[in-house]
């Protein structure tokens, strides 16, 4: 397969940590505007790694305002073959505890305000039954097993769950209790705001994509209404402090898993199986290629030129 180059996209907590890394800064402009922030190129475990803070410097971009297309296009243009994303989530299941990590295998998309395809002047339909790359997920599950064991040995136990269904909501407000209960009935395990359209765009760009979800709290399905305003206010203050603490701990856990995952990618780079995502457009371009505007073909050249 082609040379492995990894992109890491950090969300709440993780994004700030990535932004502090020293390396070569890439300031790009794409057909879809500028990415969330400069992309920082570093070398980790013998691999070239591109770091991007999803919400930008100072966390100024809410989930609906993130320039998802520009982010994925820029990482593709820089040669990334594999993307590891991180993002904070609420838990919809008792067994997914705060500070745990989850490597999701499925997703439900509830977003409705975000541009979700690169191909606006052609009919392009990529297969998306398995939204997260099985090859990269396996790497992260192995890394997670080793990292969680190290955490237990050091007295900071947490679990890395090998599956989960991520419900992606529009936000920016959190769910109502009725919505949270509905998401559980749908089979959702996690609730977040950023995995879509990111995962779908990565598939359209033929990049292997997997997610490390950082559990910060139980979503509101588990809460009971407070009996008095004073009690409610107190519980909110306590909950916020708890969530901030959980996010900080989960961020450190996620960084450990990601670093170990990148190490495994480096060790196996010459024998790594090809991800199904890396040929997603082979049967995905339904338009007659000769009828697609040549300027559009050139505009999106980093994504699909090999098929023309």
């Amino acid at each position: 397969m082609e040379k492995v180059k990894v992109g890491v996209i950090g969300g709440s907590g993780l994004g700030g940590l990535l932004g502090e890394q020293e390396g070569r800064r890439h300031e790009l402009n794409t057909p879809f505007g500028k990415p969330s922030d400069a992309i920082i190129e570093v070398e980790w475990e013998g691999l070239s790694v591109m770091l991007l803070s999803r919400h930008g410097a100072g966390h100024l971009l809410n989930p609906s305002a993130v320039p998802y297309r520009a982010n994925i296009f820029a990482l593709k243009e820089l040669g990334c073959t594999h993307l590891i994303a991180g993002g904070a989530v609420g838990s919809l299941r008792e067994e997914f505890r705060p500070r745990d990590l989850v490597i999701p295998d499925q997703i439900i998309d509830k977003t409705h305000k975000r541009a979700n395809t690169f191909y606006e002047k052609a009919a392009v339909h990529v297969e998306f039954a398995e939204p997260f790359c099985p090859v990269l997920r396996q790497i992260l599950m192995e890394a997670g097993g080793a990292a969680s064991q190290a955490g237990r040995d050091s007295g900071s136990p947490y679990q890395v769950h090998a599956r989960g269904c991520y419900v992606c909501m529009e936000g920016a407000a959190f769910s109502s209790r009725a919505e949270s209960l509905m998401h559980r009935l749908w089979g959702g395990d996690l609730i977040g705001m950023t995995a879509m359209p990111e995962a779908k765009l990565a598939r359209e760009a033929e990049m292997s994509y997997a997610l490390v979800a950082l559990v910060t709290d139980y979503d509101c399905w588990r809460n009971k209404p407070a009996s008095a305003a004073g009690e409610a206010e107190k519980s909110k203050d306590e909950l916020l402090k708890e969530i901030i603490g959980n996010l900080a701990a989960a961020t450190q856990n996620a960084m450990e898993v990601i670093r170990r995952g990148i190490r495994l990618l480096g060790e196996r780079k010459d024998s790594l199986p090809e991800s199904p995502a890396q040929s997603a457009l082979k049967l995905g371009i339904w338009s007659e290629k000769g009828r697609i505007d040549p300027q559009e073909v050139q505009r999106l050249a980093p994504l699909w030129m090999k098929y023309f």
Side-chain angles (χ1 to χ4, degrees):
M1 63 172 295
E2 61 185 309
K3 182 179 179 181
V4 173
K5 184 178 285 190
V6 184
V8 178
I9 303 173
S12 298
L14 194 59
L17 202 58
L18 295 181
E20 296 171 359
Q21 302 293 310
E22 295 291 333
R24 180 184 174 192
R25 292 173 61 87
H26 294 273
E27 305 268 2
L28 282 76
N29 207 350
T30 79
F32 305 97
K34 292 184 177 181
S36 299
D37 201 354
I39 297 172
I40 302 171
E41 182 176 0
V42 298
E43 185 171 308
W44 284 355
E45 313 297 342
L47 286 181
S48 177
V49 179
M50 304 289 174
L51 309 176
L52 176 62
S53 174
R54 183 187 290 116
H55 298 283
H59 202 107
L60 296 181
L61 298 170
N62 72 44
S64 300
V66 171
Y68 295 98
R69 293 192 295 182
N71 287 350
I72 298 298
F73 192 98
L75 289 165
K76 178 72 173 182
E77 202 165 23
L78 288 170
C80 290
T81 57
H82 295 71
L83 296 182
I84 301 173
V89 296
S91 171
L92 297 171
R93 303 291 165 190
E94 288 283 354
E95 60 269 30
F96 294 161
R97 299 178 181 87
R99 305 194 179 199
D100 280 357
L101 303 177
V102 186
I103 315 299
D105 62 332
Q106 278 299 326
I107 198 161
I108 295 171
D109 186 6
K110 283 185 63 190
T111 64
H112 56 87
K113 292 167 61 178
R114 310 173 189 184
N116 62 3
T117 182
F118 293 112
Y119 306 106
E120 297 171 315
K121 296 184 179 179
V124 175
H125 306 284
V126 294
E127 188 274 332
F128 201 60
E130 303 299 331
F132 302 102
C133 170
V135 176
L136 191 50
R137 285 188 68 251
Q138 181 61 40
I139 291 281
L140 290 175
M141 286 187 283
E142 290 182 42
S148 61
Q149 181 60 55
R152 287 192 291 273
D153 293 344
S154 66
S156 301
Y158 64 95
Q159 190 169 349
V160 180
H161 302 269
R163 57 148 302 277
C165 181
Y166 180 121
V167 180
C168 191
M169 63 185 291
E170 186 66 51
F174 296 117
S175 302
S176 69
R177 187 175 292 107
E179 288 172 326
S180 189
L181 291 168
M182 177 184 70
H183 296 151
R184 281 168 50 82
L185 291 173
W186 283 359
D189 301 306
L190 309 165
I191 181 74
M193 299 182 188
T194 55
M196 291 293 282
E198 194 172 86
K200 191 175 289 183
L201 292 168
R203 183 63 52 87
E204 286 193 345
E206 297 193 321
M207 287 191 283
S208 171
Y209 178 95
L211 176 69
V212 179
L214 291 66
V215 181
T216 62
D217 65 315
Y218 287 105
D219 199 41
C220 60
W221 62 273
R222 201 167 179 261
N223 299 344
K224 290 183 171 57
S227 57
E231 181 184 341
E233 199 61 42
K234 180 182 176 183
S235 66
K236 286 178 183 177
D237 290 343
E238 291 174 349
L239 180 60
L240 180 58
K241 290 178 183 177
E242 184 180 318
I243 290 172
I244 291 172
N246 291 339
L247 178 59
T251 296
Q252 295 300 323
N253 297 341
M255 277 297 290
E256 180 65 19
V257 171
I258 291 169
R259 290 294 293 254
R260 286 175 181 264
I262 290 172
R263 184 184 307 156
L264 289 175
L265 283 170
E267 292 170 355
R268 302 175 189 178
K269 61 186 177 184
D270 296 326
S271 58
L272 201 62
E274 183 173 340
S275 165
Q278 289 163 349
S279 56
L281 294 181
K282 186 175 182 180
L283 300 176
I285 303 172
W286 287 31
S287 298
E288 291 182 35
K289 292 173 186 166
R291 291 177 176 268
I292 300 173
D293 184 343
Q295 289 186 335
E296 185 69 1
V297 175
Q298 286 297 327
R299 189 174 79 102
L300 303 180
L303 304 180
W304 64 357
M305 184 56 82
K306 69 180 183 182
Y307 296 105
F308 288 85

